[in-house]
Amino acid sequence: MKFGSVPVAEAEGAILAHSIGFPGGRLKKGRVLCREDLEQLAAAGLSEITVAEIEPGDVSEDRAAARIAAALAPEPETLGLTMSEPFTGRVNFYAEKSGVMIVDPATVSRLNRIDEAVTLATVDNYARVAARQMIATVKIIPYSAPESAVAEAVSVIAAKGPPLRVHSVALRTAGLILTRTPGMADKVVAKGAEAVRARLRALGIALSGEAVVPHDTMSLAAALTGMSGEVVLILTGSATSDRQDVGPKALREAGGALTRFGMPVDPGNLLFLGQIGHRPVIGLPGCARSPKLNGADWVLERVACGLEVTAAEIGAMGVGGLLKEIPSRPAPRAGEAEPATGRRPWVSAVLLAAGQSSRMGDRDKLLEPVAGQAVLRRLAETLASSGAEEVIAVLRPEDLARRRVLADAAVRVTENPRAAEGMGTSIAAGVVAASPAAEAVLIALADMPEVTAQHINRMIAAFDPAEGRAIVRAVAEDGTPGHPVLFSKRFFEGLRGLGGDNGAREILRENADFIVDVPLPGRVAVTDLDTPQDWAAWRAGSTAGPG
């Protein structure tokens, strides 16, 4: 790849290396420069700019990231993963469900030694992960990578096997036994029981049985023999100090076997692990009465996900096992305007199909031969199969025909009784109807047959408010901006207040610095068209719509 300054007149087709602002506009880094861009730059008085140029033997950043990601997860669902579309040389992997992440550190290290252009970052091996959490990311550092490096990365993965896997929770029930020493207060027993229940709830495990028994070997052994659950947890009233102490000895008396006593994790040293038949038994340390992280959490999480935990593996937990010295991460501020980073965003797709003005009525008539109800249905199914979590179709209350078309689709219908006032009211109705969990809304028009699920997923991949990409706008191949448009939750209040037929133009105009444009093929990114003549021209293919 070539990188450096070139005369503006010679930069067509090159990649802009640094964002440039000038009167009347701004070009963002990563843009493939066209002739119109160069004219704007020249008019602004610039004679040279810094660009990157892809040479023979290079692979563009998105293609390189996509190839490596496909090798890492050829069948993502079997690995407990989902993955984003490539954007700016990055593909993110997310946990499909809560569980434990398994990483092959050797393969990850080998990949990261191939070429400085190719990187793979992951969460820790055996990390507890939540559903939708980002667990790994492939990033191509420059604007391209050598073909030889990409090919070698794919070859390494093929030889070693996929290095990433999320093991989701496999056990569904647990039994809990607590022992009471003479004089122990009821509130101490209750506090310990609730702390353990909370851990089980967080893992989605139901408590199938619970017992409180005296702190002696025979009472505990009898309780172990009769306790239900796929895993049994013991929280003793007095700390376990030896293999011959009450807990481990009761496990053996009940016909079980002790795998390990003690662990090199603090807090959590006094854990013991064993089994009765095929059921794992975890003797919890006293620190389990607190909700704070301790070594027992690491063991419980692995056991809950169906992973075998050996004495050697517990012994290896010492590196990173000094937990009491880890500062707590501050809790997110209430009402935070942006979604949390490091997780797949929760996106609501709003499908505008209300035909809410005379202009829109004319548009419907013009497009009916092209789009019609079949296109509406196809677009609804496309949105439902994309990375959006829900699809909301906005209809006129009296539009029974479109309601029937969508009747058995994975779409939630909301009515807009103010449809005659204009598109803005339909956008507002759709955003109001979005789930409280929504972190972004994607506004789509009902007559865009070229849109695919991959297009939508590419827009979702581009969304990153932490990086300033809080609005993602589709643009046509000629650079004309239009629909769909994805808005972060920070703009929900403004969207809910829209009226008339201007759509969200003012929000886009006032927040240009937050916009990232994503090129989509064909004529999928059509702007708001103002007259039937505009729509007729668009149908004829002579324009992508007035800006």
Side-chain angles (χ1 to χ4, degrees), residues 26-338:
R26 180 178 179 83
L27 298 180
K28 294 188 176 182
K29 69 177 184 178
R31 182 182 181 90
V32 178
L33 296 167
C34 63
R35 176 54 53 186
E36 291 76 12
D37 296 333
L38 303 185
E39 291 172 356
Q40 287 183 306
L41 293 170
L46 294 173
S47 59
E48 287 195 347
I49 53 174
T50 303
V51 299
E53 298 178 82
I54 297 178
E55 298 181 287
D58 289 339
V59 182
S60 65
E61 56 179 350
D62 282 352
R63 288 182 54 210
R67 283 174 56 183
I68 295 170
L72 287 167
E75 296 180 350
E77 63 281 358
T78 66
L79 301 173
L81 308 172
T82 60
M83 53 196 285
S84 72
E85 290 294 318
F87 188 76
T88 62
R90 183 185 299 278
V91 174
N92 295 327
F93 293 87
Y94 303 91
E96 187 173 27
K97 299 178 181 178
S98 297
V100 170
M101 174 73 173
I102 303 298
V103 180
D104 179 2
T107 300
V108 174
S109 294
R110 176 70 182 85
L111 283 174
N112 286 320
R113 292 196 302 270
I114 291 172
D115 189 283
E116 62 184 17
V118 176
T119 67
L120 171 63
T122 76
V123 298
D124 282 339
N125 195 17
Y126 290 108
R128 164 83 176 276
V129 297
R132 309 175 65 83
Q133 179 182 337
M134 187 191 300
I135 50 85
T137 182
V138 172
K139 179 70 173 89
I140 305 303
I141 300 297
Y143 291 108
S144 67
E147 166 64 35
S148 58
V150 176
E152 185 177 350
V154 171
S155 177
V156 165
I157 297 165
K160 300 284 188 179
L164 313 174
R165 182 184 294 271
V166 174
H167 290 263
S168 58
V169 176
L171 304 186
R172 296 301 170 196
T173 61
L176 172 61
I177 305 173
L178 305 103
T179 69
R180 182 198 296 269
T181 57
M184 177 178 283
D186 290 343
K187 65 180 181 181
V188 175
V189 177
K191 177 183 177 182
E194 179 52 34
V196 177
R197 293 188 204 109
R199 285 181 164 86
L200 293 173
R201 285 195 299 268
L203 291 167
I205 297 176
L207 192 62
S208 61
E210 184 176 327
V212 181
V213 301
H215 185 71
D216 65 69
T217 299
M218 298 314 296
S219 297
L220 180 54
L224 279 168
T225 301
M227 182 55 63
S228 61
E230 296 168 275
V231 58
V232 179
L233 308 178
I234 303 170
L235 183 57
T236 54
S238 180
T240 301
S241 302
D242 189 85
R243 279 178 160 265
Q244 301 304 317
D245 210 338
V246 170
K249 189 174 181 180
L251 174 62
R252 292 191 294 270
E253 288 288 338
L258 184 65
T259 301
R260 170 94 187 201
F261 167 66
M263 67 186 308
V265 180
D266 188 16
N269 292 143
L270 300 181
L271 170 140
F272 67 88
L273 175 67
Q275 62 183 48
I276 295 179
H278 296 295
R279 291 194 303 166
V281 177
I282 304 173
L284 301 171
C287 58
R289 289 187 173 84
S290 167
K292 292 182 179 180
L293 178 68
N294 66 79
D297 290 302
W298 289 0
V299 174
L300 175 58
E301 288 159 6
R302 297 192 197 185
V303 167
C305 292
L307 299 172
E308 182 183 8
V309 183
T310 65
E313 288 172 332
I314 293 178
M317 293 179 182
V319 176
L322 190 56
L323 301 180
K324 64 170 56 176
E325 299 302 323
I326 299 176
S328 297
R329 177 171 298 192
R333 294 188 299 276
E336 194 171 35
E338 299 292 6

